[in-house]
Amino acid sequence: MGNGRRPLVAGNWKMHGSRAENTALLEALLARLNRVSAEVLVCAPFVYVSEIATRLAGTQMAVGAQSLCAEPVGAFTGEVSAAMLQDIGCKYVLVGHSERRSLFHEDNGLVARKFVAAQSKGLVPVLCVGESLAERQSEQTFAVIREQLDAVLAAAGIAPFAQAVVAYEPVWAIGTGLTATPEQAQEVHAFIRGHLAKQDATVAAGVRILYGGSVKGSNAGELFAMADVDGGLVGGASLKADEFLQICAVAHS
Ligand code: 13P
């Protein structure tokens, strides 16, 4: 960390929670966040985003969604548009999470269109990239991530990255208890920043790149200490107030 980028710790609740559980978790976080210097974000299931946005207004926490529709409006049953998310006070949206890519067949082209849809309505897209275990083992990591980034760069250009976040989440580390080593994370984060810098060095120097994949209170400190790791995207550990607060507390510039 460092370099003037304010750390961001984002919880991705995935399809967990209920109104009662969310309230208990948020109140526990809000009661103890005053000592945290990082920006803190929770990405909730769509149906809870509005209520959470109301509760978090004026606090140091923000709310995000976990996906959105690439289309602006129309006959897309079951989908939620960027304008709708903006309308209810949502600030951030995950784009291209690996579960969306693998379970819901979102390819690089669709992810790029979602990124454009989000930023065109003033939402901050959190663009998730990362390689599978097979891709890492066959030394495809950089090629895979380059393709994931290039699809978005082709659709959106570099300028929107000044208002975007990138999250590196190696698929093999998500929900597995296997975490990338700090050196593995740093290597890919530096690659991502370097790739963006080929388009615009200033934008690349300012973009926050989060690490995700089995981040816990016990490993967050060493990951966040790396030069190009600007915080975390946290799944399972974001559902437990104590653990998430511990992660937030070690994210400082
Ligand atoms: P875990 O922290 O549970 O590994 O999940 C990571 C993730 O997918 C966050 O988006």
Side-chain angles (χ1 to χ4, degrees):
M1 274 194 232
N3 311 305
R5 297 184 293 269
R6 186 179 180 201
L8 171 63
V9 179
N12 174 9
W13 291 355
K14 309 193 179 184
M15 201 170 72
H16 294 285
S18 65
R19 292 178 91 175
E21 287 168 346
N22 300 346
T23 301
L25 178 54
L26 289 175
E27 295 308 324
L29 294 175
L30 287 168
R32 289 155 61 197
L33 264 184
N34 50 346
R35 277 161 294 175
V36 168
S37 62
E39 191 180 347
V40 179
L41 167 67
V42 290
C43 296
F46 283 133
V47 291
Y48 299 123
V49 171
S50 179
E51 177 167 33
I52 293 172
T54 303
R55 176 62 189 96
L56 296 184
T59 73
Q60 82 179 82
M61 280 175 80
V63 66
Q66 298 172 9
S67 186
L68 80 167
C69 185
E71 302 297 333
V73 67
F76 302 100
T77 301
E79 292 288 271
V80 175
S81 72
M84 292 170 185
L85 293 173
Q86 195 273 339
D87 189 31
I88 59 167
C90 182
K91 299 274 187 267
Y92 289 81
V93 61
L94 304 183
V95 172
H97 189 277
S98 76
E99 287 148 23
R100 300 298 314 174
R101 292 178 187 265
S102 65
L103 302 173
F104 301 96
H105 313 296
E106 295 190 9
D107 61 17
N108 282 338
L110 179 58
V111 171
R113 291 200 298 121
K114 290 188 174 205
F115 181 99
V116 170
Q119 58 92 29
S120 73
K121 292 295 172 193
L123 299 168
V124 177
V126 180
L127 172 65
C128 304
V129 298
E131 81 289 358
S132 67
L133 185 59
E135 288 162 346
R136 173 162 284 265
Q137 286 172 339
S138 57
E139 298 182 1
Q140 296 296 300
T141 298
F142 295 141
V144 166
I145 287 167
R146 187 185 304 118
E147 263 182 52
Q148 291 171 337
L149 292 173
D150 282 349
V152 176
L153 287 167
I158 185 69
F161 280 86
Q163 319 295 336
V165 173
V166 178
Y168 169 55
E169 296 204 302
V171 178
W172 48 271
I174 296 178
T176 58
L178 291 174
T179 312
T181 65
E183 293 72 26
Q184 284 173 322
Q186 170 58 26
E187 183 183 35
V188 177
H189 282 229
F191 172 80
I192 292 169
R193 199 178 302 287
H195 194 63
L196 297 177
K198 290 181 212 151
Q199 309 274 327
D200 187 317
T202 307
V203 170
V207 72
R208 289 182 293 186
I209 307 176
L210 312 183
Y211 169 79
S214 300
V215 176
K216 302 184 274 274
S218 56
N219 61 25
E222 58 182 18
L223 287 160
F224 297 172
M226 305 311 283
D228 288 294
V229 179
D230 304 308
L233 180 53
V234 184
S238 73
L239 299 171
K240 297 173 236 156
D242 287 350
E243 185 92 18
F244 192 57
L245 281 163
Q246 217 181 319
I247 295 167
C248 294
V250 296
H252 43 72
S253 24

